[in-house]
Amino acid sequence: MNTIALVGNPNSGKTTLFNALTGSNQHVGNWPGVTVEKKEGKFKFNGNTYNVVDLPGTYSLGAFSEDEMVARDFILKGNPDVVINVVDATNIERNLYLTSQLLEMGVKVIVVLNMIDEAEAKNIQFGIKTLSKKLGVPVVTTAASKRKGIKELIEEIVRVIDGEMDLKPSISYGDKIDREIKTIKKLLSGKTLEYPPRWIAIKLIEGDQYVHDLVSENKALSSDSEFGDVLSAVKENIEDNELEIVNRRYEFVNDVTRVSVVRPEEAVKTVTDKVDKILIHKYFGLPIFILIMFVLFQLTFAVGEDLLGGLMAAAVDAVGHAIEVFLVNINSPAWIIAFVSEGIIGGIGAIIEFIPLIVVLYMLIGILEDSGYMARAAYIMDNIMRKLGLHGKTFISMIVGFGCNVPGVMATRTLESKKDRMIAILINPFMSCGAKLLIYLVFIAAFFPNGGGLILFLIYFIGILVALLVGKIFSRTLFKGETTDFIMELPPYRKPVLRNVLRNMWDNVSGFLKRAGTVIFAVVTVLWIMAVLPAGVEPYGAESILGRIGLFIAPIFKPAGFGTWQAAVGLFSGIAAKEAVVTTLGMVYAGVGEGTELISAIQGAFTPLTSVSFMVMTLLYTPCVATIATIKKETNSVKWAIFAMVYTFAIGWTMAVLVFQTGRLLGFS
Amino acid sequence: MLKELLVVIKESSYISKSNISKKLNISEELIEEGFEQLIRMGYIKEDVRGIKCDVGCSSCPYSKSCDKMPIKTIMITEKGERLLAK
């Protein structure tokens, strides 16, 4: 019975072809000694039975994985009568690297261009005769999933098994290596070996560790001094030889495909190059990036607030009212009603109201990411960062920090040098995370309902600016040294896929909701208890525990214009989690008025100027505990974690004071 | 091809595989494969996912959006620099 081996890259349709050849006549086992699955099947043709072995999918035939070892061992030691190399026709250039290695093995090979229907649909054209001539083996086309070309393949298999095939090497590795192959092959002849001598020679020169070990264990070879000398000489140049051999394989693939494959020029790539000439232009790139971000925030407000904002606020009010009525109707204790209506609904409800804005913002960011623009933005910023003596990858961690500073700090792990990493870690908290967004949204709703987009844009812009300036100062003072180089890949632009955009949005919004239901709920509960105790004091008043803490801290913030105890406890609780600034304000101002209580209370307690200084403070001051803990973990130092807490507070306070005092001098109130 | 590809990577301010394909007159698919081979052989390093969250991800509300890195970066390794210097 003749044996046929099927080999190919993963996803080349190899298993589909195996099924098409063998039908239900197959069984599954394991290769001896390894956990790799062995699939075998049979088919009959003209009264003869053929055994088909489906080898594991691999990209190459080195000794990097069990799959590769199983595949190459079976081809070289299992004596298949023919090896069917299944090639994904839509990705022929990449698949032919494996083919080039098969051709080195001196076995009978048939190349099957599978998925030919998909390739045709993509308008990829093949010169099959040229391809076959260049490869030196028969080439058959199939669409295994549609059972097309299977009969022709079987006929070719029979022809190859029964006939002779010229197995002379089709790849030259250059004069030097070709000579070395010949020498080693000659020295190996006559010795008892598991593999063909020429293949062993190539692998020795290429530096295949498995084959080197095999040779050193062979007594006849280890006692051959001439062979030992040649091998030592080869070992000295292994790095260069490996590169040369791999290079020659690719050149072979390039020579073959250049004359036998025609691909249509993709319009999108031509467009990408043209668009990039403008979007990453030396001078226009940055203003365009700033403009795009400005439009993004404008759109966020136009859609999220003007169109959808009122709906969510009304829903929160309605649900809150219904729950309160329900609790009253079932005669719940007064403290439960107070906790739910003022603590939970006043606190968490205050952040839920802003979900539409968050949904819209993350959808728009998702569109930028999915279209490929984000990589351009990082590239533009990379150039600026380098001029400031900062590492370009810092901006990537900053982009991540816009979502949450915890992964933002973790993203600095990609920075190689300690200097670059420390700077990137310490400036990440200035990136305005999703939780801080809520604070701005509340204050914008109170004082700048018509200029939300602009304010938000400026806030984010200040965050980036401060991060860059502080980073530059750090690189000149605290952390000196070399920065490592890197290159960014700019993928082709593509039309954003709705599903990706929605998933990106949902990942962020669900995280936000999950926090509201866990961390924020816990913080609200603790704060509520602190706001109503000790017993007998006016709840949410200055005499409560929370009020007393606030009164103690408040004087620090007088120069910044918001020296009230409520603002102080808001900032204090914000260190637990940034959303807690809003929930605390929502709770301590609950009962002040009806309807949109928080907004009207804030309008009474702040002015437009102090609201701006408060937003700047929240943007820059001490990060939340989760971020501090991450900084401690990533720097492996309590000292740096404390430094991060203190210096960000100092910068936040200074900037807030600067905004307030300058604003006052300029006549703003 | 691999050394030429490495030289182009070194000289570029950013990587656009379609541009490299035109420059080297090699199909983009093969350029893509060349990148992977350079990575496999240790001449370049690629950062696709920079964040490896190994701390309590299951309890982190942002775990889903955490390991996304929209930007791919390439670095030439010491081995790569050695080859370029030859």
Side-chain angles (χ1 to χ4, degrees):
Chain A
M1 189 167 50
N2 294 112
T3 300
I4 299 153
L6 284 188
V7 64
N9 287 17
N11 302 320
S12 58
K14 190 169 55 66
T15 303
T16 318
L17 185 67
F18 174 75
N19 292 337
L21 281 171
T22 60
S24 56
N25 195 1
Q26 47 179 264
H27 68 270
V28 180
N30 258 38
W31 291 94
V34 287
T35 52
V36 181
E37 194 179 75
K38 182 180 188 182
K39 278 172 98 176
E40 273 185 283
K42 288 181 177 57
F43 72 87
K44 279 188 177 173
F45 185 75
N46 284 348
N48 295 322
T49 306
Y50 296 85
N51 185 34
V52 187
V53 181
D54 184 15
L55 296 172
T58 62
Y59 293 104
S60 79
L61 294 166
F64 295 110
S65 68
E66 278 188 342
D67 286 353
E68 291 187 8
M69 290 295 288
V70 163
R72 80 181 200 183
D73 268 14
F74 185 79
I75 294 164
L76 292 169
K77 297 200 286 191
N79 296 318
D81 296 284
V82 63
V83 177
I84 306 292
N85 176 204
V86 188
V87 165
D88 172 2
T90 63
N91 212 350
I92 181 170
E93 293 87 348
R94 303 187 75 182
N95 282 232
L96 285 185
Y97 183 75
L98 180 75
T99 313
S100 71
Q101 288 185 302
L102 278 172
L103 297 177
E104 287 168 354
M105 292 177 153
V107 290
K108 284 182 175 177
V109 176
I110 298 174
V111 167
V112 173
L113 274 191
N114 193 29
M115 304 196 214
I116 193 75
D117 50 336
E118 287 181 35
E120 279 165 0
K122 288 183 179 172
N123 215 5
I124 306 169
Q125 293 162 8
F126 302 95
I128 302 294
K129 274 189 187 162
T130 315
L131 184 62
S132 171
K133 197 176 160 199
K134 280 277 183 184
L135 289 171
V137 297
V139 176
V140 179
T141 58
T142 60
S145 59
K146 293 175 181 163
R147 299 194 55 83
K148 278 187 185 162
I150 305 299
K151 188 171 164 277
E152 290 78 2
L153 172 62
I154 292 173
E155 284 168 0
E156 191 61 46
I157 290 170
V158 174
R159 226 181 343 260
V160 168
I161 289 176
D162 293 343
E164 285 294 312
M165 194 184 239
D166 181 9
L167 298 174
K168 74 169 189 304
S170 44
I171 304 173
S172 164
Y173 305 102
D175 291 346
K176 183 179 159 277
I177 292 178
D178 283 349
R179 259 199 319 274
E180 282 174 342
I181 293 172
K182 254 188 196 165
T183 310
I184 296 174
K185 191 185 159 191
K186 210 168 144 192
L187 291 166
L188 293 174
S189 63
K191 307 276 190 317
T192 317
L193 298 159
E194 287 179 69
Y195 299 100
R198 186 172 188 274
W199 184 81
I200 292 184
I202 296 170
K203 289 287 145 185
L204 285 174
I205 296 168
E206 199 183 353
D208 185 303
Q209 196 51 49
Y210 178 81
V211 177
H212 272 270
D213 291 346
L214 210 69
V215 164
S216 63
E217 285 161 15
N218 186 303
K219 280 181 189 155
L221 285 173
S222 50
S223 60
D224 184 336
S225 62
E226 194 185 349
F227 179 76
D229 291 344
V230 173
L231 197 60
S232 308
V234 160
K235 277 182 180 169
E236 276 176 26
N237 290 312
I238 270 182
E239 208 171 279
D240 290 348
N241 290 342
E242 186 195 13
L243 181 73
E244 189 58 31
I245 289 177
V246 174
N247 218 12
R248 292 285 177 157
R249 286 184 192 134
Y250 281 118
E251 277 172 11
F252 171 74
V253 174
N254 192 33
D255 284 347
V256 170
T257 51
R258 200 201 300 266
V259 290
S260 59
V261 184
V262 181
R263 284 178 180 271
E265 193 172 345
E266 287 181 46
V268 64
K269 281 163 191 162
T270 320
V271 171
T272 292
D273 292 340
K274 282 182 186 159
V275 173
D276 270 347
K277 279 194 180 133
I278 303 165
L279 290 190
I280 57 172
H281 187 272
K282 206 173 161 187
Y283 302 115
F284 306 143
L286 184 64
I288 291 172
F289 171 46
I290 293 172
L291 185 72
I292 288 177
M293 293 317 284
F294 178 73
V295 171
L296 180 127
F297 288 120
Q298 292 294 338
L299 268 176
T300 302
F301 271 87
V303 182
E305 179 69 15
D306 301 346
L307 280 179
L308 308 166
L311 295 174
M312 191 56 95
V316 169
D317 278 353
V319 171
H321 184 70
I323 294 173
E324 211 177 318
V325 169
F326 171 75
L327 290 173
V328 171
N329 286 346
I330 60 165
N331 294 323
S332 300
W335 69 269
I336 288 191
I337 298 172
F339 173 64
V340 172
S341 67
E342 283 142 22
I344 307 298
I345 297 162
I348 294 179
I351 62 174
I352 300 287
E353 285 179 21
F354 294 100
I355 284 181
L357 276 163
I358 289 167
V359 166
V360 175
L361 180 65
Y362 282 112
M363 275 188 73
L364 293 174
I365 290 175
I367 290 170
L368 282 187
E369 269 183 26
D370 213 42
S371 67
Y373 182 72
M374 233 28 161
R376 271 79 188 171
Y379 173 71
I380 294 161
M381 288 308 291
D382 171 41
N383 288 337
I384 296 169
M385 309 285 277
R386 283 176 204 234
K387 279 177 196 149
L388 289 172
L390 300 172
H391 196 285
K393 271 192 200 172
T394 311
F395 193 69
I396 299 177
S397 63
M398 284 159 75
I399 291 178
V400 179
F402 281 134
C404 174
N405 295 140
V406 172
V409 169
M410 285 195 175
T412 62
R413 285 183 189 184
T414 56
L415 290 155
E416 304 275 315
S417 84
K418 195 179 173 204
K419 169 209 166 189
D420 296 328
R421 215 179 150 211
M422 285 303 296
I423 296 174
I425 287 175
L426 291 175
I427 65 173
N428 201 276
F430 296 132
M431 292 302 100
S432 197
C433 69
K436 287 182 197 170
L437 182 62
L438 288 166
I439 308 167
Y440 318 138
L441 296 181
V442 172
F443 281 86
I444 286 168
F447 294 105
F448 310 99
N450 299 320
L454 179 66
I455 298 284
L456 211 53
F457 168 77
L458 288 173
I459 292 281
Y460 276 74
F461 191 73
I462 291 170
I464 297 174
L465 209 64
V466 170
L468 294 183
L469 288 174
V470 171
K472 188 177 169 62
I473 294 167
F474 281 161
S475 78
R476 286 265 175 99
T477 53
L478 287 178
F479 311 102
K480 291 174 187 169
E482 287 294 304
T483 48
T484 49
D485 217 1
F486 80 103
I487 310 121
M488 213 171 268
E489 185 179 339
L490 304 185
Y493 289 106
R494 61 174 197 174
K495 214 165 99 187
V497 179
L498 183 66
R499 205 178 54 179
N500 295 348
V501 173
L502 288 177
R503 194 191 301 133
N504 180 63
M505 179 274 291
W506 178 244
D507 286 346
N508 282 290
V509 174
S510 66
F512 170 79
L513 291 173
K514 203 171 156 190
R515 268 173 75 84
T518 52
V519 181
I520 309 306
F521 185 84
V523 172
V524 163
T525 308
V526 172
L527 289 173
W528 183 80
I529 294 168
M530 286 165 76
V532 295
L533 289 179
V537 300
E538 188 194 342
Y540 322 113
E543 290 302 307
S544 64
I545 299 175
L546 201 61
R548 284 178 204 176
I549 294 173
L551 280 173
F552 178 73
I553 314 171
I556 306 172
F557 302 113
K558 274 236 160 69
F562 45 85
T564 63
W565 71 266
Q566 290 94 334
V569 286
L571 290 170
F572 174 69
S573 60
I575 295 172
K578 294 295 161 190
E579 297 96 328
V581 175
V582 177
T583 53
T584 308
L585 293 177
M587 198 166 60
V588 295
Y589 286 128
V592 172
E594 292 300 317
T596 47
E597 294 164 349
L598 177 60
I599 307 294
S600 53
I602 282 176
Q603 282 166 342
F606 288 81
T607 66
L609 180 61
T610 57
S611 80
V612 173
S613 63
F614 189 78
M615 282 191 275
V616 170
M617 179 77 195
T618 51
L619 163 74
L620 304 170
Y621 88 118
T622 309
C624 70
V625 279
T627 306
I628 296 166
T630 312
I631 292 174
K632 193 240 143 202
K633 188 174 175 292
E634 295 299 302
T635 57
N636 199 20
S637 151
V638 177
K639 191 186 85 182
W640 282 116
I642 295 171
F643 175 78
M645 283 171 73
V646 176
Y647 106 91
T648 48
F649 186 90
I651 285 179
W653 184 87
T654 311
M655 287 294 289
V657 171
L658 216 61
V659 167
F660 178 67
Q661 299 298 345
T662 314
R664 220 165 50 158
L665 282 176
L666 293 173
F668 292 105
S669 60
Chain B
M1 171 190 127
L2 291 179
K3 191 169 175 187
E4 284 91 335
L5 182 53
L6 195 65
V7 171
V8 174
I9 294 172
K10 176 77 179 173
E11 288 169 353
S12 303
S13 59
Y14 65 88
I15 289 165
S16 152
K17 284 174 183 160
S18 62
N19 275 351
I20 296 177
S21 159
K22 277 181 208 153
K23 205 169 186 175
L24 296 181
N25 192 22
I26 295 171
S27 74
E28 207 178 321
E29 288 69 22
L30 208 54
I31 292 291
E32 187 85 41
E33 174 66 20
F35 265 88
E36 282 183 22
Q37 189 64 45
L38 284 174
I39 293 168
R40 276 198 290 268
M41 293 173 78
Y43 289 104
I44 57 171
K45 238 168 47 177
E46 190 181 66
D47 267 335
V48 188
R49 290 179 153 201
I51 318 163
K52 288 158 197 85
C53 254
D54 51 1
V55 279
C57 278
S58 57
S59 61
C60 173
Y62 292 111
S63 58
K64 274 190 197 161
S65 50
C66 176
D67 65 346
K68 284 180 189 163
M69 178 67 80
I71 296 135
K72 216 193 251 187
T73 59
I74 303 277
M75 266 183 67
I76 298 173
T77 61
E78 263 179 49
K79 189 178 171 184
E81 294 288 356
R82 256 199 329 267
L83 176 66
L84 286 167
K86 276 180 192 171

